[in-house]
Amino acid sequence: MSVTKTHYAFMPDGTEVHLFTITNNNEISAGIITKGATLNSFTCPDKNGVMGDIIMGFDSIDNHITSGTYTGQVIGQYANRLCGGRFKVGDTEYQVTQNEKGKTCLHGGAEYSSAVWKAIIIDDNAVELTYHSPDGKEGFPGNVDVTVVYRLTDRNELEINYKAVSDKDTIINLTNHAYFNLGTPAAGDVLDHELQLFCDYFTPTDADSIPTGEIRSVKGTAFDFTEAKKIGRDIAADDEQLIMCRGYDHNFCVNGEAGKLRPVAKVTDEKSGRKLEVMSDLPGVQLYTGNFIDGSETGKDGVVLKQHYGFCLETQYYPDTPNQPSFPQCTFKAGEVFKSTTIFKV
Ligand code: BGC
């Protein structure tokens, strides 16, 4: 087990960005850069023992800064969407940034994901990143101190621990926005990957990708991944939800009790022989199949990134939760600690 720290790049304002590489005893490694606390790489063997990086992403800081994909980044203060960028905490109404179509707030206005986080090695297999979000940044209440720990075990689990505490009552929803491609993006899209989701329900959305409030059974729909099936099998089905989003871009409700670590997803890629298991204690997961990736960006090793070249499993509170009283809530009192764990096991 080892962790190394190296220079990665400088931000336009001169701030240095570091790369931390955690390697376990099976030679599997995870690369984390301090800009956006980004999971920049996750390298593991295929069925022939050939190492490959299963994170769709970039090899230049410029792309990390300009890309709208959020790839690998830690997202906050509110991952996913808030209707009209508005919500209430107690009796106080807040208007936050409407960074999507001038309407919705998407991924907290990219505050956490654009920041360069402080980072230290805390163990021979772990890195701790911290960020201080000032009160009112992007409109969100509270000075929030956030800690994210990436730990890679010899069981090949990349464990991400999130912790945040605010000095005012506020909403907190943190995730990691990695796009995975078990064949590596050089092998093309992920439509042949087999996906199983431990989710019997999902939350349909309106045309702005805001949940309607309905919690719909996946049974008999294209959203049924309760038994493993190819991501691409039903992606082009004649389903209003899929047509609107050009594929899957939906929150699924994870079976079992939130607050307890439980299985979220299993993905296998027959061609490469790689697999990925996801566990989390959060109530939901956004399955996003890279629908809006359009070939305009070049990723690592010169690979042009096209539609469906990666899939995301963003563990989260449901989108727009503060405006949906029936959803599991994520309002935290001043001083109350937000804590959650998500594991990606290869
Ligand atoms: C959203 C997508 C969005 C993507 C990149 C996902 O979490 O649900 O709609 O395109 O992030 O921003």
Side-chain angles (χ1 to χ4, degrees):
M1 300 266 208
S2 68
V3 188
T4 59
K5 175 184 178 181
T6 52
H7 169 83
Y8 182 73
F10 288 105
M11 295 292 282
D13 70 358
T15 308
E16 186 168 16
V17 176
H18 288 103
L19 165 68
F20 289 83
T21 307
I22 314 175
T23 308
N24 74 6
N25 287 323
N26 308 317
E27 297 302 318
I28 287 170
S29 66
I32 293 111
I33 60 168
T34 51
K35 191 251 157 210
T38 298
L39 176 61
N40 192 49
S41 63
F42 196 8
T43 303
C44 57
D46 69 5
K47 59 185 174 196
N48 301 314
V50 179
M51 288 292 183
D53 178 2
I54 61 168
I55 301 294
M56 190 204 84
F58 302 110
D59 46 20
S60 94
I61 193 73
D62 295 343
N63 283 332
H64 275 294
I65 294 169
T66 56
S67 174
T69 55
Y70 296 87
T71 179
Q73 298 167 357
V74 169
I75 307 289
Q77 181 159 323
Y78 196 90
N80 214 290
R81 293 178 173 85
L82 290 164
C83 182
R86 264 197 296 275
F87 58 91
K88 266 179 151 184
V89 177
D91 290 334
T92 315
E93 177 138 18
Y94 291 94
Q95 173 71 62
V96 295
T97 184
Q98 292 162 285
N99 61 318
E100 189 183 43
K101 301 185 218 157
K103 271 175 153 180
T104 44
C105 176
L106 174 65
H107 298 326
E111 180 199 343
Y112 290 24
S113 47
S114 325
V116 177
W117 294 49
K118 292 198 177 115
I120 51 166
I121 297 169
I122 54 163
D123 221 330
D124 64 354
N125 67 346
V127 177
E128 177 185 276
L129 297 108
T130 49
Y131 172 65
H132 175 82
S133 169
D135 187 18
K137 191 93 195 265
E138 300 294 350
F140 287 93
N143 285 291
V144 185
D145 285 300
V146 193
T147 305
V148 172
V149 173
Y150 286 93
R151 183 181 296 276
L152 179 63
T153 70
D154 276 338
R155 292 181 301 276
N156 304 336
E157 297 161 332
L158 180 64
E159 179 174 316
I160 313 179
N161 284 298
Y162 303 83
K163 207 165 142 187
V165 63
S166 166
D167 63 355
K168 272 190 187 164
D169 298 359
T170 195
I171 56 169
I172 302 175
N173 188 17
L174 305 179
T175 195
N176 182 287
H177 204 298
Y179 292 75
F180 295 93
N181 184 324
L182 302 185
T184 79
D189 68 48
V190 297
L191 297 180
D192 276 344
H193 286 37
E194 298 252 344
L195 168 68
Q196 181 177 19
L197 287 175
F198 297 91
C199 304
D200 293 342
Y201 295 88
F202 77 107
T203 52
T205 67
D206 67 13
D208 291 325
S209 288
I210 298 291
T212 58
E214 181 189 349
I215 295 190
R216 186 182 293 175
S217 168
V218 297
K219 239 197 194 122
T221 77
F223 290 79
D224 191 347
F225 285 94
T226 52
E227 312 241 310
K229 73 172 177 190
K230 287 194 171 158
I231 291 178
R233 197 187 86 179
D234 298 329
I235 202 168
D238 185 20
D239 179 309
E240 168 211 48
Q241 288 293 317
L242 290 170
I243 295 166
M244 227 159 37
C245 299
R246 301 194 205 168
Y248 297 99
D249 189 1
H250 292 80
N251 172 70
F252 287 73
C253 312
V254 181
N255 296 344
E257 202 181 323
K260 289 199 174 135
L261 206 56
R262 62 219 190 285
V264 172
K266 265 191 196 168
V267 192
T268 50
D269 172 38
E270 203 186 310
K271 237 191 263 166
S272 66
R274 293 195 185 91
K275 64 163 179 54
L276 177 74
E277 286 173 52
V278 185
M279 316 232 336
S280 181
D281 53 10
L282 286 168
V285 62
Q286 185 87 4
L287 169 63
Y288 174 53
T289 46
N291 313 332
F292 301 103
I293 300 172
D294 60 2
S296 61
E297 291 178 329
T298 300
K300 293 173 208 168
D301 302 322
V303 177
V304 175
L305 304 178
K306 300 189 191 149
Q307 196 184 32
H308 310 315
Y309 266 41
F311 66 89
C312 301
L313 289 165
E314 304 152 52
T315 54
Q316 60 185 2
Y317 282 90
Y318 303 172
D320 202 34
T321 278
N323 299 311
Q324 298 283 353
S326 66
F327 289 178
Q329 293 300 300
C330 55
T331 301
F332 292 82
K333 294 249 166 249
E336 190 187 347
V337 182
F338 167 101
K339 252 181 155 182
S340 95
T341 298
T342 291
I343 294 174
F344 295 106
K345 180 180 187 331
V346 291

